[in-house]
Amino acid sequence: MTNKSLIKETLNTLGIQDINPGTYSGSWHEASDSGILRSISPGSGEEIAGISISDAEDYEKVIQSSIECFECWRCLPAPKRGELVRDIGEAFRRYKDELGLLVSLEMGKILAEGKGEIQEVIDICDFAVGLSRQLYGKTMHSERVNHRMYEQWHPLGPVGVITAFNFPAAVWGWNAAIAAVCGDTVIWKPSEVTPLTSYAITRICAEVASAHGFPGLFTLLTGEGPELGKRLAADPRLPLISATGSCRMGRDVAQVVGARLGRSLLELGGNNALIVLEDA
């Protein structure tokens, strides 16, 4: 099989068409007038496929869907939430080769690293399943008569996850699997450089979550430029924003989220500096 034939078969298996919807709120949205984002393979310079950009109406539908799903999802016992995450891990096992190739094709890392990134998603799902039965809290003696003190962790709400291009699958997985077993819903704003990976992943997760009765558990917003991320950071309906990217971006997110007394989880900068010689 030629490389082009393999790529075409992979895209077909993952449900990727020439133009794909970039918004998911429990159901896929038709393309809006906001435009089409073109995904270009850094290896060949060729276009892989296009994906529609989310507009303001799409944004509100995603937020409302995530809030509504959260009200039911949070009431499901944590071990039951873990069962859904376990099924997601199994789905990633089935599509590991295809998703790994897509990561390599769209982001540019070697195929072994692309498959390794999908394995990281599988591993964090396994970890989260165990965690779903270990959401412990302390019990403490009280100085008051007939009084009991204990701590119990409760879900926060819809969580906004903003990911960078260099790990288009794993970073989402680290956030989404843990958030889900803790009772939170997840709104994903991926990098504009790797939108097809996020589309393929959301398709897989949507099928699993819908089968469990929670189609709005993992939602998707696709944007071009920083505006969509800024809107998520400023939205008071999202108690936690997890963002991966540059230190400059992190400062902006922290200031905006902090100004509304929200919480932010930031993974910033990098430590993989390279020296490329002229004869490379």
PDB file of all heavy atoms in Angstrom, residues 106-122:
ATOM      1  N   GLU A 106      -0.478  15.442  10.643  1.00  0.00           N
ATOM      2  CA  GLU A 106      -0.935  16.824  10.833  1.00  0.00           C
ATOM      3  C   GLU A 106       0.042  17.670  11.634  1.00  0.00           C
ATOM      4  O   GLU A 106       0.202  18.855  11.364  1.00  0.00           O
ATOM      5  CB  GLU A 106      -2.302  16.821  11.519  1.00  0.00           C
ATOM      6  CG  GLU A 106      -2.937  18.198  11.575  1.00  0.00           C
ATOM      7  CD  GLU A 106      -4.340  18.188  12.122  1.00  0.00           C
ATOM      8  OE1 GLU A 106      -4.605  17.451  13.100  1.00  0.00           O
ATOM      9  OE2 GLU A 106      -5.195  18.918  11.589  1.00  0.00           O
ATOM     10  N   MET A 107       0.685  17.072  12.638  1.00  0.00           N
ATOM     11  CA  MET A 107       1.574  17.836  13.512  1.00  0.00           C
ATOM     12  C   MET A 107       3.024  17.783  13.049  1.00  0.00           C
ATOM     13  O   MET A 107       3.768  18.752  13.206  1.00  0.00           O
ATOM     14  CB  MET A 107       1.442  17.307  14.943  1.00  0.00           C
ATOM     15  CG  MET A 107       2.288  18.035  15.985  1.00  0.00           C
ATOM     16  SD  MET A 107       3.875  17.206  16.171  1.00  0.00           S
ATOM     17  CE  MET A 107       4.838  18.528  16.913  1.00  0.00           C
ATOM     18  N   GLY A 108       3.446  16.620  12.502  1.00  0.00           N
ATOM     19  CA  GLY A 108       4.799  16.537  11.969  1.00  0.00           C
ATOM     20  C   GLY A 108       5.764  15.671  12.749  1.00  0.00           C
ATOM     21  O   GLY A 108       6.875  15.425  12.291  1.00  0.00           O
ATOM     22  N   LYS A 109       5.360  15.158  13.913  1.00  0.00           N
ATOM     23  CA  LYS A 109       6.267  14.289  14.657  1.00  0.00           C
ATOM     24  C   LYS A 109       6.330  12.917  13.989  1.00  0.00           C
ATOM     25  O   LYS A 109       5.437  12.548  13.231  1.00  0.00           O
ATOM     26  CB  LYS A 109       5.841  14.169  16.117  1.00  0.00           C
ATOM     27  CG  LYS A 109       4.480  13.568  16.356  1.00  0.00           C
ATOM     28  CD  LYS A 109       4.165  13.452  17.847  1.00  0.00           C
ATOM     29  CE  LYS A 109       4.146  14.781  18.549  1.00  0.00           C
ATOM     30  NZ  LYS A 109       3.757  14.664  19.978  1.00  0.00           N
ATOM     31  N   ILE A 110       7.394  12.153  14.262  1.00  0.00           N
ATOM     32  CA  ILE A 110       7.549  10.857  13.633  1.00  0.00           C
ATOM     33  C   ILE A 110       6.415   9.928  14.059  1.00  0.00           C
ATOM     34  O   ILE A 110       5.778  10.133  15.092  1.00  0.00           O
ATOM     35  CB  ILE A 110       8.924  10.234  13.961  1.00  0.00           C
ATOM     36  CG1 ILE A 110       9.064   9.996  15.473  1.00  0.00           C
ATOM     37  CG2 ILE A 110      10.049  11.111  13.441  1.00  0.00           C
ATOM     38  CD1 ILE A 110      10.336   9.256  15.837  1.00  0.00           C
ATOM     39  N   LEU A 111       6.187   8.887  13.253  1.00  0.00           N
ATOM     40  CA  LEU A 111       5.040   8.012  13.475  1.00  0.00           C
ATOM     41  C   LEU A 111       5.091   7.338  14.846  1.00  0.00           C
ATOM     42  O   LEU A 111       4.066   7.205  15.511  1.00  0.00           O
ATOM     43  CB  LEU A 111       4.967   6.957  12.370  1.00  0.00           C
ATOM     44  CG  LEU A 111       3.794   5.971  12.434  1.00  0.00           C
ATOM     45  CD1 LEU A 111       2.464   6.715  12.413  1.00  0.00           C
ATOM     46  CD2 LEU A 111       3.873   4.978  11.276  1.00  0.00           C
ATOM     47  N   ALA A 112       6.278   6.917  15.270  1.00  0.00           N
ATOM     48  CA  ALA A 112       6.397   6.268  16.580  1.00  0.00           C
ATOM     49  C   ALA A 112       5.956   7.204  17.691  1.00  0.00           C
ATOM     50  O   ALA A 112       5.315   6.777  18.665  1.00  0.00           O
ATOM     51  CB  ALA A 112       7.834   5.811  16.810  1.00  0.00           C
ATOM     52  N   GLU A 113       6.290   8.484  17.561  1.00  0.00           N
ATOM     53  CA  GLU A 113       5.875   9.471  18.562  1.00  0.00           C
ATOM     54  C   GLU A 113       4.379   9.733  18.474  1.00  0.00           C
ATOM     55  O   GLU A 113       3.714   9.963  19.490  1.00  0.00           O
ATOM     56  CB  GLU A 113       6.654  10.775  18.373  1.00  0.00           C
ATOM     57  CG  GLU A 113       8.118  10.697  18.744  1.00  0.00           C
ATOM     58  CD  GLU A 113       8.331  10.572  20.237  1.00  0.00           C
ATOM     59  OE1 GLU A 113       7.416  10.935  21.012  1.00  0.00           O
ATOM     60  OE2 GLU A 113       9.404  10.095  20.638  1.00  0.00           O
ATOM     61  N   GLY A 114       3.840   9.719  17.263  1.00  0.00           N
ATOM     62  CA  GLY A 114       2.396   9.898  17.114  1.00  0.00           C
ATOM     63  C   GLY A 114       1.620   8.789  17.791  1.00  0.00           C
ATOM     64  O   GLY A 114       0.659   9.037  18.536  1.00  0.00           O
ATOM     65  N   LYS A 115       2.040   7.548  17.560  1.00  0.00           N
ATOM     66  CA  LYS A 115       1.385   6.423  18.225  1.00  0.00           C
ATOM     67  C   LYS A 115       1.627   6.461  19.734  1.00  0.00           C
ATOM     68  O   LYS A 115       0.741   6.114  20.529  1.00  0.00           O
ATOM     69  CB  LYS A 115       1.896   5.112  17.644  1.00  0.00           C
ATOM     70  CG  LYS A 115       1.467   4.858  16.203  1.00  0.00           C
ATOM     71  CD  LYS A 115       1.971   3.511  15.720  1.00  0.00           C
ATOM     72  CE  LYS A 115       1.527   3.244  14.287  1.00  0.00           C
ATOM     73  NZ  LYS A 115       2.014   1.922  13.804  1.00  0.00           N
ATOM     74  N   GLY A 116       2.831   6.897  20.118  1.00  0.00           N
ATOM     75  CA  GLY A 116       3.135   6.997  21.544  1.00  0.00           C
ATOM     76  C   GLY A 116       2.253   8.005  22.243  1.00  0.00           C
ATOM     77  O   GLY A 116       1.887   7.819  23.419  1.00  0.00           O
ATOM     78  N   GLU A 117       1.894   9.076  21.528  1.00  0.00           N
ATOM     79  CA  GLU A 117       1.007  10.076  22.123  1.00  0.00           C
ATOM     80  C   GLU A 117      -0.386   9.503  22.364  1.00  0.00           C
ATOM     81  O   GLU A 117      -1.003   9.771  23.401  1.00  0.00           O
ATOM     82  CB  GLU A 117       0.925  11.309  21.226  1.00  0.00           C
ATOM     83  CG  GLU A 117       0.116  12.419  21.848  1.00  0.00           C
ATOM     84  CD  GLU A 117       0.245  13.736  21.114  1.00  0.00           C
ATOM     85  OE1 GLU A 117       1.186  13.898  20.324  1.00  0.00           O
ATOM     86  OE2 GLU A 117      -0.614  14.610  21.337  1.00  0.00           O
ATOM     87  N   ILE A 118      -0.887   8.703  21.433  1.00  0.00           N
ATOM     88  CA  ILE A 118      -2.186   8.068  21.639  1.00  0.00           C
ATOM     89  C   ILE A 118      -2.106   7.076  22.787  1.00  0.00           C
ATOM     90  O   ILE A 118      -3.054   6.926  23.568  1.00  0.00           O
ATOM     91  CB  ILE A 118      -2.653   7.371  20.346  1.00  0.00           C
ATOM     92  CG1 ILE A 118      -2.712   8.385  19.189  1.00  0.00           C
ATOM     93  CG2 ILE A 118      -4.025   6.739  20.559  1.00  0.00           C
ATOM     94  CD1 ILE A 118      -3.542   9.624  19.466  1.00  0.00           C
ATOM     95  N   GLN A 119      -0.968   6.407  22.928  1.00  0.00           N
ATOM     96  CA  GLN A 119      -0.793   5.504  24.059  1.00  0.00           C
ATOM     97  C   GLN A 119      -0.872   6.261  25.378  1.00  0.00           C
ATOM     98  O   GLN A 119      -1.371   5.738  26.383  1.00  0.00           O
ATOM     99  CB  GLN A 119       0.551   4.777  23.951  1.00  0.00           C
ATOM    100  CG  GLN A 119       0.774   3.731  25.040  1.00  0.00           C
ATOM    101  CD  GLN A 119      -0.249   2.620  24.992  1.00  0.00           C
ATOM    102  OE1 GLN A 119      -0.531   2.056  23.940  1.00  0.00           O
ATOM    103  NE2 GLN A 119      -0.826   2.284  26.150  1.00  0.00           N
ATOM    104  N   GLU A 120      -0.389   7.504  25.392  1.00  0.00           N
ATOM    105  CA  GLU A 120      -0.500   8.316  26.609  1.00  0.00           C
ATOM    106  C   GLU A 120      -1.961   8.565  26.969  1.00  0.00           C
ATOM    107  O   GLU A 120      -2.321   8.582  28.159  1.00  0.00           O
ATOM    108  CB  GLU A 120       0.242   9.640  26.423  1.00  0.00           C
ATOM    109  CG  GLU A 120       1.746   9.505  26.365  1.00  0.00           C
ATOM    110  CD  GLU A 120       2.456  10.828  26.530  1.00  0.00           C
ATOM    111  OE1 GLU A 120       2.088  11.588  27.454  1.00  0.00           O
ATOM    112  OE2 GLU A 120       3.364  11.111  25.730  1.00  0.00           O
ATOM    113  N   VAL A 121      -2.803   8.769  25.980  1.00  0.00           N
ATOM    114  CA  VAL A 121      -4.234   8.945  26.250  1.00  0.00           C
ATOM    115  C   VAL A 121      -4.808   7.659  26.834  1.00  0.00           C
ATOM    116  O   VAL A 121      -5.593   7.686  27.798  1.00  0.00           O
ATOM    117  CB  VAL A 121      -4.989   9.346  24.973  1.00  0.00           C
ATOM    118  CG1 VAL A 121      -6.485   9.509  25.273  1.00  0.00           C
ATOM    119  CG2 VAL A 121      -4.428  10.633  24.388  1.00  0.00           C
ATOM    120  N   ILE A 122      -4.430   6.521  26.259  1.00  0.00           N
ATOM    121  CA  ILE A 122      -4.892   5.231  26.779  1.00  0.00           C
ATOM    122  C   ILE A 122      -4.441   5.047  28.225  1.00  0.00           C
ATOM    123  O   ILE A 122      -5.218   4.629  29.094  1.00  0.00           O
ATOM    124  CB  ILE A 122      -4.347   4.088  25.897  1.00  0.00           C
ATOM    125  CG1 ILE A 122      -4.934   4.191  24.487  1.00  0.00           C
ATOM    126  CG2 ILE A 122      -4.648   2.729  26.523  1.00  0.00           C
ATOM    127  CD1 ILE A 122      -4.270   3.278  23.467  1.00  0.00           C
TER     128      ILE A 122
END
